[in-house]
Amino acid sequence: MFVTDSLSPSSPLGRPCRHEALLTLPAQEAHVSAARHFAADLLETWSVPASERDSAVLIVDELTANAARYGREHMSLLLVLDDGTLHIVVTDSGMAVDRRRPDIAPDEHGRGTGIVQYLAQSTEVHQTRGGREVRACLRCSS
């Protein structure tokens, strides 16, 4: 596990502080709970209100579960709190996923991305050279 956390001081204009933390783990389902606990503890330290923290932790759980399931080697969780917006970025080293798998019943899988889209103000998915990157943004009151 590799963790970094940084804090930038607030600007002279009174703009909120920028917090940033990165967690890198093996892409294994056993490590999803570590990512979830990391996010919960960190967001509490950053004074993110409980209701928004709960939503963020659920988003982290869903995105890291997908990264663990489809990633090959590692996954990374980047959390950035800047100007009242929490950016959640999960990357993995997996290939593109065919979203329409006929061998899996629709009621058994596929809810995670719907949950993320419901909770987040915006979501993006990008296939990169090294894998996949999923971004979710969540407004946080202070």
Side-chain angles (χ1 to χ4, degrees):
M1 175 171 32
F2 179 70
V3 178
T4 60
D5 183 13
S6 62
L7 169 67
S8 301
S10 63
S11 73
L13 301 175
R15 188 167 176 242
C17 295
R18 176 184 168 100
H19 295 279
E20 185 173 312
L22 175 67
L23 174 68
T24 302
L25 296 165
Q28 299 169 357
E29 290 186 28
H31 295 287
V32 172
S33 66
R36 185 176 57 247
H37 290 292
F38 171 78
D41 293 344
L42 189 67
L43 296 175
E44 183 174 6
T45 300
W46 290 352
S47 300
V48 172
S51 63
E52 289 137 353
R53 188 170 61 239
D54 291 345
S55 294
V57 169
L58 183 53
I59 291 170
V60 166
D61 186 61
E62 294 297 337
L63 295 182
T64 57
N66 284 344
R69 175 174 284 146
Y70 301 112
R72 292 186 308 244
E73 297 169 14
H74 63 274
M75 60 182 173
S76 295
L77 168 63
L78 174 65
L79 298 172
V80 177
L81 180 60
D82 190 29
D83 196 24
T85 299
L86 177 65
H87 303 269
I88 302 168
V89 183
V90 175
T91 58
D92 66 55
S93 54
M95 302 303 284
V97 177
D98 180 10
R99 296 192 188 275
R100 288 185 261 159
R101 290 186 49 192
D103 59 326
I104 298 177
D107 61 336
E108 292 184 25
H109 295 284
R111 292 188 188 122
T113 55
I115 290 169
V116 171
Q117 290 173 347
Y118 177 78
L119 293 173
Q121 275 64 48
S122 66
T123 59
E124 296 177 17
V125 179
H126 301 282
Q127 192 66 34
T128 66
R129 183 176 299 207
R132 188 176 33 256
E133 176 183 274
V134 182
R135 295 176 171 261
C137 293
L138 181 66
R139 292 292 297 159
C140 295
S141 59
S142 1

PDB file of all heavy atoms in Angstrom, residues 39-64:
ATOM      1  N   ALA A  39     -10.778   6.246   2.881  1.00  0.00           N
ATOM      2  CA  ALA A  39     -11.593   7.398   2.470  1.00  0.00           C
ATOM      3  C   ALA A  39     -12.416   7.925   3.641  1.00  0.00           C
ATOM      4  O   ALA A  39     -12.466   9.136   3.874  1.00  0.00           O
ATOM      5  CB  ALA A  39     -12.501   7.016   1.308  1.00  0.00           C
ATOM      6  N   ALA A  40     -13.048   7.045   4.394  1.00  0.00           N
ATOM      7  CA  ALA A  40     -13.887   7.478   5.513  1.00  0.00           C
ATOM      8  C   ALA A  40     -13.069   8.237   6.550  1.00  0.00           C
ATOM      9  O   ALA A  40     -13.468   9.320   7.001  1.00  0.00           O
ATOM     10  CB  ALA A  40     -14.570   6.269   6.157  1.00  0.00           C
ATOM     11  N   ASP A  41     -11.921   7.698   6.922  1.00  0.00           N
ATOM     12  CA  ASP A  41     -11.077   8.345   7.927  1.00  0.00           C
ATOM     13  C   ASP A  41     -10.541   9.682   7.424  1.00  0.00           C
ATOM     14  O   ASP A  41     -10.533  10.676   8.149  1.00  0.00           O
ATOM     15  CB  ASP A  41      -9.915   7.436   8.325  1.00  0.00           C
ATOM     16  CG  ASP A  41     -10.379   6.191   9.072  1.00  0.00           C
ATOM     17  OD1 ASP A  41     -11.542   6.157   9.545  1.00  0.00           O
ATOM     18  OD2 ASP A  41      -9.581   5.237   9.168  1.00  0.00           O
ATOM     19  N   LEU A  42     -10.095   9.694   6.180  1.00  0.00           N
ATOM     20  CA  LEU A  42      -9.524  10.911   5.617  1.00  0.00           C
ATOM     21  C   LEU A  42     -10.568  12.014   5.488  1.00  0.00           C
ATOM     22  O   LEU A  42     -10.309  13.170   5.848  1.00  0.00           O
ATOM     23  CB  LEU A  42      -8.910  10.601   4.251  1.00  0.00           C
ATOM     24  CG  LEU A  42      -8.086  11.698   3.631  1.00  0.00           C
ATOM     25  CD1 LEU A  42      -6.817  11.937   4.445  1.00  0.00           C
ATOM     26  CD2 LEU A  42      -7.727  11.321   2.213  1.00  0.00           C
ATOM     27  N   LEU A  43     -11.751  11.669   5.010  1.00  0.00           N
ATOM     28  CA  LEU A  43     -12.796  12.678   4.839  1.00  0.00           C
ATOM     29  C   LEU A  43     -13.280  13.213   6.176  1.00  0.00           C
ATOM     30  O   LEU A  43     -13.645  14.382   6.286  1.00  0.00           O
ATOM     31  CB  LEU A  43     -13.948  12.110   4.004  1.00  0.00           C
ATOM     32  CG  LEU A  43     -13.570  11.749   2.564  1.00  0.00           C
ATOM     33  CD1 LEU A  43     -14.745  11.086   1.863  1.00  0.00           C
ATOM     34  CD2 LEU A  43     -13.060  12.946   1.797  1.00  0.00           C
ATOM     35  N   GLU A  44     -13.263  12.392   7.204  1.00  0.00           N
ATOM     36  CA  GLU A  44     -13.585  12.894   8.538  1.00  0.00           C
ATOM     37  C   GLU A  44     -12.508  13.879   9.002  1.00  0.00           C
ATOM     38  O   GLU A  44     -12.812  14.941   9.534  1.00  0.00           O
ATOM     39  CB  GLU A  44     -13.697  11.743   9.526  1.00  0.00           C
ATOM     40  CG  GLU A  44     -14.111  12.205  10.901  1.00  0.00           C
ATOM     41  CD  GLU A  44     -14.372  11.052  11.861  1.00  0.00           C
ATOM     42  OE1 GLU A  44     -14.132   9.884  11.519  1.00  0.00           O
ATOM     43  OE2 GLU A  44     -14.824  11.356  12.978  1.00  0.00           O
ATOM     44  N   THR A  45     -11.240  13.546   8.752  1.00  0.00           N
ATOM     45  CA  THR A  45     -10.132  14.446   9.092  1.00  0.00           C
ATOM     46  C   THR A  45     -10.264  15.765   8.346  1.00  0.00           C
ATOM     47  O   THR A  45      -9.952  16.829   8.890  1.00  0.00           O
ATOM     48  CB  THR A  45      -8.786  13.779   8.753  1.00  0.00           C
ATOM     49  OG1 THR A  45      -8.678  12.575   9.508  1.00  0.00           O
ATOM     50  CG2 THR A  45      -7.611  14.684   9.058  1.00  0.00           C
ATOM     51  N   TRP A  46     -10.717  15.714   7.103  1.00  0.00           N
ATOM     52  CA  TRP A  46     -10.883  16.914   6.296  1.00  0.00           C
ATOM     53  C   TRP A  46     -12.172  17.664   6.637  1.00  0.00           C
ATOM     54  O   TRP A  46     -12.537  18.629   5.962  1.00  0.00           O
ATOM     55  CB  TRP A  46     -10.889  16.566   4.824  1.00  0.00           C
ATOM     56  CG  TRP A  46      -9.569  16.114   4.268  1.00  0.00           C
ATOM     57  CD1 TRP A  46      -8.349  16.127   4.881  1.00  0.00           C
ATOM     58  CD2 TRP A  46      -9.345  15.577   2.961  1.00  0.00           C
ATOM     59  NE1 TRP A  46      -7.393  15.624   4.031  1.00  0.00           N
ATOM     60  CE2 TRP A  46      -7.965  15.285   2.846  1.00  0.00           C
ATOM     61  CE3 TRP A  46     -10.168  15.308   1.878  1.00  0.00           C
ATOM     62  CZ2 TRP A  46      -7.399  14.749   1.702  1.00  0.00           C
ATOM     63  CZ3 TRP A  46      -9.613  14.767   0.727  1.00  0.00           C
ATOM     64  CH2 TRP A  46      -8.235  14.498   0.640  1.00  0.00           C
ATOM     65  N   SER A  47     -12.923  17.211   7.621  1.00  0.00           N
ATOM     66  CA  SER A  47     -14.172  17.833   8.085  1.00  0.00           C
ATOM     67  C   SER A  47     -15.284  17.844   7.041  1.00  0.00           C
ATOM     68  O   SER A  47     -16.100  18.763   6.987  1.00  0.00           O
ATOM     69  CB  SER A  47     -13.913  19.263   8.588  1.00  0.00           C
ATOM     70  OG  SER A  47     -12.994  19.234   9.658  1.00  0.00           O
ATOM     71  N   VAL A  48     -15.334  16.812   6.218  1.00  0.00           N
ATOM     72  CA  VAL A  48     -16.446  16.666   5.274  1.00  0.00           C
ATOM     73  C   VAL A  48     -17.656  16.230   6.095  1.00  0.00           C
ATOM     74  O   VAL A  48     -17.562  15.297   6.898  1.00  0.00           O
ATOM     75  CB  VAL A  48     -16.105  15.628   4.183  1.00  0.00           C
ATOM     76  CG1 VAL A  48     -17.318  15.317   3.323  1.00  0.00           C
ATOM     77  CG2 VAL A  48     -14.944  16.125   3.329  1.00  0.00           C
ATOM     78  N   PRO A  49     -18.804  16.908   5.942  1.00  0.00           N
ATOM     79  CA  PRO A  49     -19.999  16.560   6.717  1.00  0.00           C
ATOM     80  C   PRO A  49     -20.391  15.092   6.536  1.00  0.00           C
ATOM     81  O   PRO A  49     -20.185  14.503   5.464  1.00  0.00           O
ATOM     82  CB  PRO A  49     -21.075  17.487   6.159  1.00  0.00           C
ATOM     83  CG  PRO A  49     -20.310  18.654   5.605  1.00  0.00           C
ATOM     84  CD  PRO A  49     -19.025  18.065   5.080  1.00  0.00           C
ATOM     85  N   ALA A  50     -20.971  14.507   7.586  1.00  0.00           N
ATOM     86  CA  ALA A  50     -21.259  13.070   7.628  1.00  0.00           C
ATOM     87  C   ALA A  50     -22.094  12.584   6.444  1.00  0.00           C
ATOM     88  O   ALA A  50     -21.790  11.538   5.864  1.00  0.00           O
ATOM     89  CB  ALA A  50     -21.943  12.714   8.944  1.00  0.00           C
ATOM     90  N   SER A  51     -23.144  13.309   6.062  1.00  0.00           N
ATOM     91  CA  SER A  51     -23.996  12.829   4.965  1.00  0.00           C
ATOM     92  C   SER A  51     -23.226  12.790   3.647  1.00  0.00           C
ATOM     93  O   SER A  51     -23.363  11.838   2.876  1.00  0.00           O
ATOM     94  CB  SER A  51     -25.248  13.685   4.826  1.00  0.00           C
ATOM     95  OG  SER A  51     -24.900  15.006   4.487  1.00  0.00           O
ATOM     96  N   GLU A  52     -22.419  13.791   3.385  1.00  0.00           N
ATOM     97  CA  GLU A  52     -21.628  13.800   2.162  1.00  0.00           C
ATOM     98  C   GLU A  52     -20.488  12.795   2.241  1.00  0.00           C
ATOM     99  O   GLU A  52     -20.116  12.166   1.253  1.00  0.00           O
ATOM    100  CB  GLU A  52     -21.111  15.211   1.875  1.00  0.00           C
ATOM    101  CG  GLU A  52     -22.231  16.124   1.439  1.00  0.00           C
ATOM    102  CD  GLU A  52     -22.169  17.496   2.066  1.00  0.00           C
ATOM    103  OE1 GLU A  52     -21.328  17.726   2.950  1.00  0.00           O
ATOM    104  OE2 GLU A  52     -22.982  18.343   1.665  1.00  0.00           O
ATOM    105  N   ARG A  53     -19.947  12.614   3.434  1.00  0.00           N
ATOM    106  CA  ARG A  53     -18.893  11.615   3.637  1.00  0.00           C
ATOM    107  C   ARG A  53     -19.446  10.218   3.349  1.00  0.00           C
ATOM    108  O   ARG A  53     -18.799   9.413   2.683  1.00  0.00           O
ATOM    109  CB  ARG A  53     -18.360  11.720   5.065  1.00  0.00           C
ATOM    110  CG  ARG A  53     -17.151  10.882   5.330  1.00  0.00           C
ATOM    111  CD  ARG A  53     -16.510  11.183   6.673  1.00  0.00           C
ATOM    112  NE  ARG A  53     -17.395  10.938   7.797  1.00  0.00           N
ATOM    113  CZ  ARG A  53     -17.764  11.845   8.690  1.00  0.00           C
ATOM    114  NH1 ARG A  53     -17.338  13.087   8.614  1.00  0.00           N
ATOM    115  NH2 ARG A  53     -18.557  11.518   9.686  1.00  0.00           N
ATOM    116  N   ASP A  54     -20.663   9.938   3.825  1.00  0.00           N
ATOM    117  CA  ASP A  54     -21.280   8.633   3.573  1.00  0.00           C
ATOM    118  C   ASP A  54     -21.469   8.391   2.082  1.00  0.00           C
ATOM    119  O   ASP A  54     -21.197   7.289   1.580  1.00  0.00           O
ATOM    120  CB  ASP A  54     -22.622   8.520   4.292  1.00  0.00           C
ATOM    121  CG  ASP A  54     -22.482   8.452   5.806  1.00  0.00           C
ATOM    122  OD1 ASP A  54     -21.358   8.214   6.315  1.00  0.00           O
ATOM    123  OD2 ASP A  54     -23.508   8.657   6.495  1.00  0.00           O
ATOM    124  N   SER A  55     -21.932   9.408   1.372  1.00  0.00           N
ATOM    125  CA  SER A  55     -22.095   9.275  -0.083  1.00  0.00           C
ATOM    126  C   SER A  55     -20.755   9.040  -0.759  1.00  0.00           C
ATOM    127  O   SER A  55     -20.630   8.190  -1.640  1.00  0.00           O
ATOM    128  CB  SER A  55     -22.757  10.535  -0.668  1.00  0.00           C
ATOM    129  OG  SER A  55     -24.072  10.660  -0.212  1.00  0.00           O
ATOM    130  N   ALA A  56     -19.745   9.791  -0.337  1.00  0.00           N
ATOM    131  CA  ALA A  56     -18.412   9.652  -0.929  1.00  0.00           C
ATOM    132  C   ALA A  56     -17.845   8.261  -0.676  1.00  0.00           C
ATOM    133  O   ALA A  56     -17.259   7.641  -1.574  1.00  0.00           O
ATOM    134  CB  ALA A  56     -17.477  10.720  -0.380  1.00  0.00           C
ATOM    135  N   VAL A  57     -18.026   7.748   0.534  1.00  0.00           N
ATOM    136  CA  VAL A  57     -17.505   6.417   0.866  1.00  0.00           C
ATOM    137  C   VAL A  57     -18.221   5.345   0.048  1.00  0.00           C
ATOM    138  O   VAL A  57     -17.596   4.388  -0.412  1.00  0.00           O
ATOM    139  CB  VAL A  57     -17.605   6.153   2.382  1.00  0.00           C
ATOM    140  CG1 VAL A  57     -17.322   4.704   2.723  1.00  0.00           C
ATOM    141  CG2 VAL A  57     -16.646   7.076   3.136  1.00  0.00           C
ATOM    142  N   LEU A  58     -19.509   5.516  -0.176  1.00  0.00           N
ATOM    143  CA  LEU A  58     -20.240   4.567  -1.021  1.00  0.00           C
ATOM    144  C   LEU A  58     -19.718   4.625  -2.458  1.00  0.00           C
ATOM    145  O   LEU A  58     -19.540   3.582  -3.106  1.00  0.00           O
ATOM    146  CB  LEU A  58     -21.744   4.849  -0.966  1.00  0.00           C
ATOM    147  CG  LEU A  58     -22.642   3.888  -1.744  1.00  0.00           C
ATOM    148  CD1 LEU A  58     -22.389   2.440  -1.361  1.00  0.00           C
ATOM    149  CD2 LEU A  58     -24.103   4.250  -1.504  1.00  0.00           C
ATOM    150  N   ILE A  59     -19.455   5.813  -2.966  1.00  0.00           N
ATOM    151  CA  ILE A  59     -18.882   5.954  -4.308  1.00  0.00           C
ATOM    152  C   ILE A  59     -17.513   5.272  -4.366  1.00  0.00           C
ATOM    153  O   ILE A  59     -17.229   4.506  -5.298  1.00  0.00           O
ATOM    154  CB  ILE A  59     -18.774   7.440  -4.711  1.00  0.00           C
ATOM    155  CG1 ILE A  59     -20.164   8.030  -4.939  1.00  0.00           C
ATOM    156  CG2 ILE A  59     -17.900   7.615  -5.957  1.00  0.00           C
ATOM    157  CD1 ILE A  59     -20.190   9.545  -5.099  1.00  0.00           C
ATOM    158  N   VAL A  60     -16.667   5.520  -3.371  1.00  0.00           N
ATOM    159  CA  VAL A  60     -15.346   4.887  -3.317  1.00  0.00           C
ATOM    160  C   VAL A  60     -15.493   3.371  -3.302  1.00  0.00           C
ATOM    161  O   VAL A  60     -14.782   2.654  -4.017  1.00  0.00           O
ATOM    162  CB  VAL A  60     -14.550   5.378  -2.083  1.00  0.00           C
ATOM    163  CG1 VAL A  60     -13.341   4.489  -1.808  1.00  0.00           C
ATOM    164  CG2 VAL A  60     -14.128   6.831  -2.274  1.00  0.00           C
ATOM    165  N   ASP A  61     -16.420   2.865  -2.506  1.00  0.00           N
ATOM    166  CA  ASP A  61     -16.642   1.428  -2.415  1.00  0.00           C
ATOM    167  C   ASP A  61     -17.017   0.834  -3.769  1.00  0.00           C
ATOM    168  O   ASP A  61     -16.451  -0.176  -4.203  1.00  0.00           O
ATOM    169  CB  ASP A  61     -17.733   1.144  -1.380  1.00  0.00           C
ATOM    170  CG  ASP A  61     -17.922  -0.337  -1.135  1.00  0.00           C
ATOM    171  OD1 ASP A  61     -16.954  -0.988  -0.697  1.00  0.00           O
ATOM    172  OD2 ASP A  61     -19.031  -0.848  -1.390  1.00  0.00           O
ATOM    173  N   GLU A  62     -17.959   1.465  -4.453  1.00  0.00           N
ATOM    174  CA  GLU A  62     -18.415   0.942  -5.745  1.00  0.00           C
ATOM    175  C   GLU A  62     -17.300   1.006  -6.798  1.00  0.00           C
ATOM    176  O   GLU A  62     -17.085   0.051  -7.546  1.00  0.00           O
ATOM    177  CB  GLU A  62     -19.641   1.709  -6.238  1.00  0.00           C
ATOM    178  CG  GLU A  62     -20.871   1.532  -5.379  1.00  0.00           C
ATOM    179  CD  GLU A  62     -21.397   0.110  -5.316  1.00  0.00           C
ATOM    180  OE1 GLU A  62     -21.123  -0.696  -6.229  1.00  0.00           O
ATOM    181  OE2 GLU A  62     -22.094  -0.202  -4.332  1.00  0.00           O
ATOM    182  N   LEU A  63     -16.597   2.137  -6.852  1.00  0.00           N
ATOM    183  CA  LEU A  63     -15.555   2.290  -7.875  1.00  0.00           C
ATOM    184  C   LEU A  63     -14.356   1.387  -7.616  1.00  0.00           C
ATOM    185  O   LEU A  63     -13.798   0.812  -8.554  1.00  0.00           O
ATOM    186  CB  LEU A  63     -15.123   3.749  -7.979  1.00  0.00           C
ATOM    187  CG  LEU A  63     -16.188   4.735  -8.458  1.00  0.00           C
ATOM    188  CD1 LEU A  63     -15.610   6.141  -8.571  1.00  0.00           C
ATOM    189  CD2 LEU A  63     -16.802   4.297  -9.784  1.00  0.00           C
ATOM    190  N   THR A  64     -13.947   1.250  -6.354  1.00  0.00           N
ATOM    191  CA  THR A  64     -12.804   0.371  -6.082  1.00  0.00           C
ATOM    192  C   THR A  64     -13.187  -1.102  -6.224  1.00  0.00           C
ATOM    193  O   THR A  64     -12.355  -1.919  -6.618  1.00  0.00           O
ATOM    194  CB  THR A  64     -12.178   0.642  -4.693  1.00  0.00           C
ATOM    195  OG1 THR A  64     -13.160   0.501  -3.674  1.00  0.00           O
ATOM    196  CG2 THR A  64     -11.549   2.029  -4.651  1.00  0.00           C
TER     197      THR A  64
END
